[in-house]
Amino acid sequence: MSDDALSRDPAELRRRIDTTKAHPARVYDVFLGGKDNYPVDRAAAAAALAANPRGYLDVRHNRDFLRRAVNRLAKEDGIRQFLDIGTGLPTAENVHQIAQRVNPDSRVVYVDNDPVVLAHARALLTSGAEGRTDYIDADLQSPGRILEQAAKTLDFDQPVALVLVAVLHFVEDEQAYPIVRELMEALPSGSRLVLSHLTEDLNPESIRAVQRTYTERGFTFVLRSKDEVARFFTDTPRVTLDEPGVVPVHHWHQDGAAPVPEAVDPAYLATLDDIEKVRHRDINDVTDADINVYGATGAKA
């Protein structure tokens, strides 16, 4: 059986799922109000929330940055191909939903290495009739495999947006910069880089506390400065930063369309624990003191 077939085999997926160790994709799912996670993931999210009670705003505004970036590239730049690495679990809205609403013929390839994400891939693969969506079971640290598999769906003679949202802080410097360079060098002129990254520049005390909760659970967790985030663009040949450069995600091309949750009965809300309350929080009350994530996009000449 091929590696691809194994990755889609239910028994093989169950064997690969480790419910004793938190996984970044599943912890992220907890903060987005998802249900595809385990007690160990919820414990990691709860510890992070205890360290920074408004830390859910980082996760939610990071997701809203993704919405704005994909929408802007699809609408204003006509990008019709997206390679989203570190996809995470399906959640509204996914890249293909945003892109295909603007350009129905858009093609999107998702990449993740968590078997729980793969088990839910069918939810990601629901594409419009004109477009195409696919999923690759691969690790960011295997860029060659990603490019080889993505070429089955994407046309590398046409511009592609490489999406690396909230994933590079799980990769050390000696790997992170070469990986981004290798991926972007394989893409043609007119391609784009969409990137977000945690930092200690903005509110160091709160994010360092969160960092400790993750490193204690065995995660690589690298906080990078504004200049270090910019390096992902400036160290890659022919790639230049778009305006407004590297900025806190809630300041990147604001459009006033951040989602507003439905009103919830206060009595019911009082019965929920802190982590369950997160999905009902309104993120529009964000301040600069809440955000520890930079966002940026760039273009390849």
Side-chain angles (χ1 to χ4, degrees):
M1 188 180 292
S2 69
D3 289 344
D4 186 61
L6 281 171
S7 72
R8 296 174 189 272
D9 179 69
E12 172 63 14
L13 288 176
R14 285 194 296 271
R15 187 193 67 77
R16 285 175 52 191
I17 295 172
D18 183 356
T19 62
T20 67
K21 183 179 179 181
H23 189 284
R26 301 195 307 258
V27 175
Y28 195 71
D29 180 64
V30 174
F31 278 112
L32 292 173
K35 299 296 184 183
D36 302 310
N37 47 72
Y38 296 93
V40 67
D41 306 304
R42 292 190 285 276
L49 194 66
N52 180 14
R54 285 173 66 82
Y56 64 90
L57 288 165
D58 277 333
V59 177
R60 300 271 299 280
H61 274 280
N62 177 75
R63 190 75 191 182
D64 200 55
F65 162 75
L66 174 65
R67 174 190 65 79
R68 299 194 310 277
V70 171
N71 187 67
R72 189 177 182 87
L73 292 186
K75 186 176 292 185
E76 298 190 10
D77 299 309
I79 299 295
R80 284 173 160 78
Q81 299 192 110
F82 294 83
L83 177 57
D84 181 4
I85 304 178
T87 301
L89 286 145
T91 187
E93 286 184 301
N94 299 296
V95 170
H96 75 277
Q97 293 168 314
I98 303 166
Q100 291 177 359
R101 185 166 54 244
V102 179
N103 301 310
D105 61 344
S106 294
R107 296 183 177 195
V108 178
V109 171
Y110 294 104
V111 183
D112 209 292
N113 69 336
D114 179 23
V116 174
V117 176
L118 183 60
H120 290 270
R122 287 192 182 91
L124 286 175
L125 301 180
T126 304
S127 176
E130 297 177 56
R132 187 173 174 189
T133 311
D134 204 353
Y135 182 91
I136 299 172
D137 177 20
D139 192 287
L140 174 61
Q141 297 181 52
S142 301
R145 170 175 163 75
I146 290 172
L147 292 166
E148 178 186 3
Q149 296 297 313
K152 298 176 181 179
T153 301
L154 304 178
D155 178 0
F156 281 1
D157 290 327
Q158 299 297 321
V160 176
L162 173 63
V163 180
L164 296 169
V165 167
V167 65
L168 288 166
H169 45 253
F170 297 116
V171 185
E172 298 286 0
D173 284 354
E174 61 270 20
Q175 295 174 301
Y177 292 105
I179 285 170
V180 174
R181 192 177 307 119
E182 181 174 348
L183 290 166
M184 285 303 298
E185 285 179 345
L187 303 182
S189 176
S191 292
R192 308 301 289 268
L193 175 58
V194 179
L195 187 152
S196 69
H197 201 294
L198 283 167
T199 183
E200 61 183 348
D201 285 359
L202 305 174
N203 300 289
E205 185 174 342
S206 63
I207 195 60
R208 286 172 187 160
V210 172
Q211 182 186 41
R212 284 193 295 273
T213 71
Y214 281 92
T215 55
E216 287 169 359
R217 287 165 171 78
F219 291 152
T220 296
F221 206 83
V222 183
L223 301 173
R224 292 187 171 97
S225 68
K226 183 175 183 176
D227 287 345
E228 289 169 331
V229 173
R231 267 189 62 196
F232 286 111
F233 299 85
T234 59
D235 277 12
T236 302
R238 297 165 50 203
V239 174
T240 57
L241 271 165
D242 297 325
E243 291 295 332
V246 177
V247 297
V249 285
H250 64 308
H251 288 311
W252 191 90
H253 293 290
Q254 298 166 309
D255 64 4
V260 178
E262 294 182 8
V264 178
D265 182 349
Y268 167 71
L269 198 62
T271 68
L272 304 179
D273 63 28
D274 288 344
I275 202 66
E276 291 174 322
K277 290 176 182 176
V278 164
R279 68 178 181 273
H280 300 292
R281 301 295 191 197
D282 184 357
I283 68 171
N284 290 284
D285 67 345
V286 66
T287 70
D288 288 350
D290 295 319
I291 296 299
N292 300 283
V293 188
Y294 282 131
T297 65
K300 182 173 180 179

Coordinates of all heavy atoms in Angstrom, one line a residue, residues 91-150:
T91 N -12.4 24.6 10.0 CA -13.2 25.6 10.8 C -13.6 26.7 9.9 O -13.0 26.9 8.9 CB -12.3 26.2 12.0 OG1 -13.1 27.0 12.8 CG2 -11.2 27.0 11.4
A92 N -14.7 27.3 10.2 CA -15.2 28.4 9.3 C -14.3 29.6 9.5 O -14.1 30.0 10.6 CB -16.7 28.7 9.7
E93 N -13.9 30.2 8.4 CA -14.0 29.7 7.1 C -12.7 29.2 6.7 O -11.6 29.7 7.0 CB -14.5 30.8 6.1 CG -15.9 31.2 6.2 CD -16.3 32.2 5.1 OE1 -15.6 33.3 5.1 OE2 -17.1 31.9 4.3
N94 N -12.7 28.1 5.9 CA -11.4 27.6 5.3 C -11.0 28.3 4.1 O -11.8 29.1 3.5 CB -11.6 26.1 5.0 CG -12.0 25.3 6.2 OD1 -11.3 25.2 7.2 ND2 -13.3 24.7 6.2
V95 N -9.7 28.2 3.8 CA -9.1 28.9 2.7 C -9.9 28.8 1.4 O -10.2 29.7 0.6 CB -7.6 28.6 2.5 CG1 -7.1 29.2 1.2 CG2 -6.8 29.0 3.6
H96 N -10.3 27.5 1.1 CA -11.0 27.3 -0.2 C -12.3 28.0 -0.3 O -12.8 28.4 -1.3 CB -11.1 25.8 -0.5 CG -12.1 25.1 0.3 ND1 -11.9 24.6 1.5 CD2 -13.4 24.7 0.0 CE1 -12.9 24.0 2.0 NE2 -13.9 24.0 1.1
Q97 N -13.0 28.1 0.9 CA -14.3 28.7 0.9 C -14.2 30.2 0.7 O -15.0 30.8 -0.1 CB -15.0 28.5 2.3 CG -15.3 27.0 2.6 CD -15.7 26.8 4.0 OE1 -15.0 27.2 4.9 NE2 -16.8 26.1 4.2
I98 N -13.1 30.8 1.2 CA -12.9 32.2 1.0 C -12.5 32.5 -0.4 O -13.1 33.4 -1.1 CB -11.8 32.7 2.0 CG1 -12.2 32.5 3.4 CG2 -11.5 34.2 1.7 CD1 -11.0 32.6 4.4
A99 N -11.5 31.7 -0.9 CA -11.0 31.9 -2.3 C -12.0 31.6 -3.3 O -12.2 32.4 -4.3 CB -9.8 31.1 -2.5
Q100 N -12.8 30.6 -3.2 CA -13.7 30.2 -4.2 C -15.0 31.0 -4.2 O -15.7 31.1 -5.2 CB -14.1 28.7 -4.1 CG -12.9 27.8 -4.4 CD -13.2 26.3 -4.2 OE1 -14.2 25.9 -3.8 NE2 -12.2 25.5 -4.6
R101 N -15.2 31.7 -3.1 CA -16.3 32.7 -3.1 C -16.0 33.8 -4.1 O -16.9 34.4 -4.7 CB -16.6 33.2 -1.7 CG -17.8 34.1 -1.7 CD -18.3 34.3 -0.2 NE -17.3 34.8 0.6 CZ -16.8 34.1 1.7 NH1 -17.3 32.9 2.0 NH2 -15.8 34.6 2.4
V102 N -14.7 34.2 -4.2 CA -14.3 35.3 -5.0 C -14.0 34.7 -6.5 O -14.5 35.3 -7.4 CB -13.0 35.9 -4.5 CG1 -12.5 37.0 -5.4 CG2 -13.2 36.5 -3.1
N103 N -13.3 33.7 -6.6 CA -12.9 33.0 -7.8 C -13.3 31.6 -7.8 O -12.5 30.8 -7.2 CB -11.4 33.2 -8.2 CG -11.0 34.6 -8.2 OD1 -11.6 35.5 -8.9 ND2 -9.9 35.0 -7.5
P104 N -14.5 31.2 -8.3 CA -15.0 29.8 -8.1 C -14.0 28.7 -8.6 O -14.1 27.6 -8.2 CB -16.3 29.8 -8.9 CG -16.7 31.2 -8.8 CD -15.5 32.0 -8.9
D105 N -13.1 29.1 -9.6 CA -12.2 28.1 -10.1 C -10.9 28.0 -9.3 O -10.0 27.3 -9.8 CB -11.9 28.4 -11.6 CG -11.2 29.8 -11.8 OD1 -11.2 30.6 -10.8 OD2 -10.7 30.0 -12.9
S106 N -10.8 28.5 -8.2 CA -9.6 28.5 -7.4 C -9.3 27.1 -7.0 O -10.1 26.2 -6.7 CB -9.8 29.3 -6.1 OG -9.9 30.7 -6.4
R107 N -7.9 26.8 -6.9 CA -7.4 25.5 -6.4 C -6.7 25.7 -5.1 O -5.9 26.7 -5.0 CB -6.5 24.9 -7.5 CG -7.1 24.6 -8.8 CD -6.1 24.0 -9.8 NE -6.7 23.6 -11.0 CZ -6.2 22.8 -11.9 NH1 -5.0 22.3 -11.6 NH2 -6.8 22.5 -13.0
V108 N -7.0 24.8 -4.2 CA -6.4 24.9 -2.8 C -5.8 23.6 -2.4 O -6.5 22.5 -2.5 CB -7.4 25.4 -1.8 CG1 -6.8 25.5 -0.4 CG2 -8.0 26.8 -2.2
V109 N -4.6 23.5 -2.0 CA -4.0 22.3 -1.4 C -3.7 22.6 0.1 O -3.0 23.6 0.4 CB -2.7 21.9 -2.1 CG1 -2.0 20.8 -1.4 CG2 -3.1 21.5 -3.6
Y110 N -4.2 21.7 0.9 CA -4.0 21.8 2.4 C -2.9 20.8 2.7 O -2.9 19.7 2.2 CB -5.3 21.5 3.1 CG -6.4 22.5 2.9 CD1 -7.5 22.2 2.1 CD2 -6.4 23.7 3.6 CE1 -8.5 23.1 2.0 CE2 -7.4 24.6 3.5 CZ -8.5 24.3 2.7 OH -9.5 25.2 2.5
V111 N -2.1 21.2 3.7 CA -1.0 20.3 4.2 C -1.0 20.3 5.7 O -1.0 21.3 6.4 CB 0.4 20.8 3.7 CG1 1.4 19.8 4.1 CG2 0.4 20.9 2.2
D112 N -1.0 19.1 6.3 CA -0.9 18.9 7.7 C -0.4 17.5 8.0 O -0.5 16.7 7.1 CB -2.2 19.2 8.5 CG -2.0 19.8 9.9 OD1 -1.4 19.0 10.7 OD2 -2.3 20.9 10.1
N113 N 0.2 17.3 9.2 CA 0.7 16.0 9.5 C 0.0 15.3 10.7 O 0.4 14.3 11.2 CB 2.2 16.0 9.8 CG 2.5 16.8 11.1 OD1 1.7 17.6 11.5 ND2 3.7 16.5 11.6
D114 N -1.1 16.0 11.2 CA -1.8 15.4 12.3 C -2.9 14.4 11.8 O -3.7 14.8 11.0 CB -2.5 16.5 13.2 CG -3.3 16.0 14.3 OD1 -3.0 14.8 14.8 OD2 -4.2 16.7 14.8
P115 N -2.9 13.2 12.3 CA -3.9 12.2 11.8 C -5.3 12.6 12.1 O -6.2 12.2 11.3 CB -3.5 10.9 12.5 CG -2.6 11.3 13.6 CD -1.9 12.5 13.2
V116 N -5.5 13.4 13.1 CA -6.9 13.8 13.4 C -7.3 14.8 12.3 O -8.5 14.8 11.9 CB -7.0 14.5 14.8 CG1 -8.4 15.1 15.0 CG2 -6.7 13.5 15.9
V117 N -6.4 15.7 11.9 CA -6.8 16.6 10.8 C -7.1 15.8 9.5 O -8.0 16.0 8.8 CB -5.6 17.6 10.5 CG1 -5.9 18.4 9.3 CG2 -5.3 18.4 11.8
L118 N -6.2 14.8 9.3 CA -6.4 14.0 8.1 C -7.8 13.2 8.1 O -8.4 13.1 7.1 CB -5.3 13.0 7.9 CG -5.3 12.1 6.7 CD1 -5.2 12.9 5.4 CD2 -4.1 11.1 6.7
A119 N -8.1 12.8 9.3 CA -9.4 12.0 9.4 C -10.6 12.9 9.1 O -11.6 12.4 8.7 CB -9.5 11.5 10.9
H120 N -10.4 14.2 9.2 CA -11.5 15.2 8.9 C -11.3 15.8 7.6 O -12.0 16.8 7.3 CB -11.6 16.2 10.0 CG -12.1 15.7 11.3 ND1 -13.4 15.6 11.6 CD2 -11.5 15.1 12.4 CE1 -13.6 15.1 12.8 NE2 -12.4 14.7 13.3
A121 N -10.4 15.3 6.8 CA -10.0 16.0 5.5 C -11.2 16.1 4.6 O -11.3 17.0 3.8 CB -8.9 15.2 4.8
R122 N -12.1 15.2 4.6 CA -13.3 15.2 3.7 C -14.0 16.5 3.9 O -14.6 17.1 3.0 CB -14.2 14.0 4.0 CG -13.7 12.7 3.5 CD -14.8 11.6 3.5 NE -14.3 10.4 3.1 CZ -13.8 9.4 3.9 NH1 -13.7 9.7 5.2 NH2 -13.4 8.3 3.5
A123 N -14.1 17.1 5.1 CA -14.7 18.3 5.3 C -14.0 19.5 4.6 O -14.6 20.4 4.2 CB -14.8 18.7 6.8
L124 N -12.7 19.3 4.5 CA -11.9 20.3 3.8 C -12.1 20.2 2.2 O -11.9 21.2 1.5 CB -10.4 20.2 4.1 CG -10.0 20.7 5.5 CD1 -8.5 20.3 5.6 CD2 -10.2 22.2 5.6
L125 N -12.4 19.0 1.8 CA -12.3 18.7 0.4 C -13.6 19.0 -0.3 O -13.8 18.7 -1.5 CB -11.9 17.2 0.2 CG -10.6 16.8 0.7 CD1 -10.3 15.4 0.5 CD2 -9.5 17.7 0.2
T126 N -14.6 19.6 0.3 CA -15.8 20.0 -0.3 C -15.6 21.3 -1.1 O -15.6 22.4 -0.5 CB -16.9 20.2 0.8 OG1 -17.0 19.0 1.6 CG2 -18.3 20.4 0.1
S127 N -15.4 21.1 -2.4 CA -15.1 22.3 -3.2 C -16.3 22.6 -4.1 O -17.1 21.7 -4.4 CB -13.9 21.9 -4.0 OG -13.6 23.0 -5.0
G128 N -16.3 23.8 -4.6 CA -17.2 24.2 -5.7 C -17.0 23.4 -6.9 O -15.9 22.8 -7.1
A129 N -18.0 23.3 -7.8 CA -17.9 22.5 -9.0 C -16.7 23.0 -9.9 O -16.1 22.1 -10.6 CB -19.2 22.5 -9.8
E130 N -16.4 24.2 -9.9 CA -15.4 24.8 -10.8 C -14.0 24.7 -10.3 O -13.0 24.6 -11.0 CB -15.7 26.3 -11.1 CG -17.0 26.5 -11.9 CD -17.3 28.0 -12.1 OE1 -16.4 28.6 -12.7 OE2 -18.3 28.5 -11.7
G131 N -13.9 24.7 -8.9 CA -12.6 24.7 -8.3 C -12.1 23.3 -8.0 O -12.7 22.3 -8.3
R132 N -11.0 23.2 -7.3 CA -10.4 21.9 -6.9 C -9.7 22.1 -5.5 O -9.1 23.1 -5.3 CB -9.5 21.4 -7.9 CG -9.0 20.0 -7.7 CD -8.1 19.5 -8.8 NE -7.6 18.2 -8.5 CZ -6.7 17.5 -9.2 NH1 -6.3 18.1 -10.4 NH2 -6.2 16.4 -8.8
T133 N -9.9 21.1 -4.7 CA -9.3 21.1 -3.4 C -8.6 19.8 -3.1 O -9.2 18.8 -3.4 CB -10.3 21.5 -2.3 OG1 -11.0 22.6 -2.7 CG2 -9.6 21.8 -0.9
D134 N -7.5 19.8 -2.5 CA -6.8 18.5 -2.1 C -6.1 18.6 -0.8 O -6.0 19.7 -0.2 CB -5.8 18.1 -3.2 CG -5.6 16.6 -3.3 OD1 -6.1 15.9 -2.4 OD2 -4.9 16.1 -4.2
Y135 N -5.7 17.5 -0.3 CA -5.1 17.5 1.1 C -3.8 16.6 1.0 O -3.8 15.5 0.4 CB -6.0 16.9 2.1 CG -5.5 16.9 3.5 CD1 -5.6 17.9 4.3 CD2 -4.7 15.8 3.9 CE1 -5.1 17.9 5.6 CE2 -4.1 15.8 5.2 CZ -4.3 16.9 6.0 OH -3.7 16.9 7.2
I136 N -2.7 17.1 1.6 CA -1.5 16.3 1.6 C -1.1 16.0 3.1 O -1.1 16.9 3.9 CB -0.3 17.1 1.0 CG1 -0.6 17.4 -0.5 CG2 1.0 16.3 1.1 CD1 0.4 18.4 -1.1
D137 N -0.9 14.7 3.4 CA -0.4 14.3 4.7 C 1.1 14.4 4.7 O 1.8 13.6 4.2 CB -0.8 12.9 4.9 CG -0.3 12.3 6.2 OD1 0.0 13.1 7.1 OD2 -0.3 11.1 6.4
A138 N 1.6 15.6 5.2 CA 3.1 15.8 5.2 C 3.4 16.8 6.2 O 2.6 17.6 6.7 CB 3.5 16.3 3.8
D139 N 4.7 16.9 6.5 CA 5.2 17.8 7.5 C 5.9 19.0 6.9 O 6.5 18.8 5.8 CB 6.3 17.0 8.4 CG 6.7 17.8 9.6 OD1 7.4 18.8 9.5 OD2 6.3 17.4 10.7
L140 N 5.8 20.1 7.5 CA 6.4 21.3 6.9 C 7.9 21.1 6.7 O 8.5 21.7 5.8 CB 6.2 22.5 7.9 CG 6.9 23.9 7.5 CD1 6.5 24.4 6.2 CD2 6.6 24.9 8.6
Q141 N 8.5 20.3 7.5 CA 10.0 20.1 7.4 C 10.3 19.1 6.3 O 11.5 18.7 6.2 CB 10.5 19.6 8.8 CG 10.3 20.6 9.9 CD 10.8 20.2 11.2 OE1 11.9 19.8 11.3 NE2 10.0 20.3 12.2
S142 N 9.3 18.8 5.4 CA 9.6 18.0 4.2 C 9.1 18.8 3.0 O 8.2 18.3 2.3 CB 8.9 16.6 4.3 OG 9.3 15.9 5.4
P143 N 9.7 19.9 2.7 CA 9.2 20.8 1.6 C 9.2 20.1 0.3 O 8.4 20.3 -0.6 CB 10.1 22.0 1.7 CG 11.4 21.5 2.4 CD 10.9 20.5 3.4
G144 N 10.2 19.2 0.0 CA 10.3 18.5 -1.2 C 9.1 17.7 -1.5 O 8.5 17.6 -2.6
R145 N 8.7 16.9 -0.5 CA 7.5 16.1 -0.6 C 6.3 16.9 -0.8 O 5.4 16.6 -1.6 CB 7.3 15.2 0.7 CG 6.0 14.5 0.7 CD 5.9 13.5 1.9 NE 4.5 13.1 2.1 CZ 3.8 12.3 1.4 NH1 4.3 11.7 0.3 NH2 2.5 12.0 1.7
I146 N 6.2 18.0 -0.1 CA 5.0 18.9 -0.2 C 4.9 19.4 -1.7 O 3.8 19.4 -2.3 CB 5.1 20.1 0.8 CG1 4.9 19.6 2.2 CG2 4.1 21.2 0.4 CD1 5.2 20.6 3.3
L147 N 6.0 19.9 -2.2 CA 6.0 20.4 -3.6 C 5.7 19.3 -4.6 O 4.9 19.6 -5.5 CB 7.3 21.1 -3.9 CG 7.7 22.3 -3.1 CD1 9.1 22.7 -3.2 CD2 6.8 23.5 -3.5
E148 N 6.2 18.2 -4.4 CA 6.0 17.1 -5.3 C 4.5 16.7 -5.4 O 3.9 16.5 -6.4 CB 6.8 15.8 -4.9 CG 6.6 14.6 -5.8 CD 7.3 13.4 -5.3 OE1 7.9 13.5 -4.2 OE2 7.2 12.3 -6.0
Q149 N 3.9 16.6 -4.2 CA 2.5 16.2 -4.1 C 1.6 17.3 -4.5 O 0.5 17.1 -5.2 CB 2.1 15.8 -2.7 CG 2.9 14.5 -2.2 CD 2.5 13.3 -3.0 OE1 1.3 13.0 -3.3 NE2 3.5 12.6 -3.4
A150 N 1.9 18.6 -4.2 CA 1.1 19.7 -4.5 C 1.0 19.9 -6.0 O 0.0 20.4 -6.5 CB 1.6 21.0 -3.8

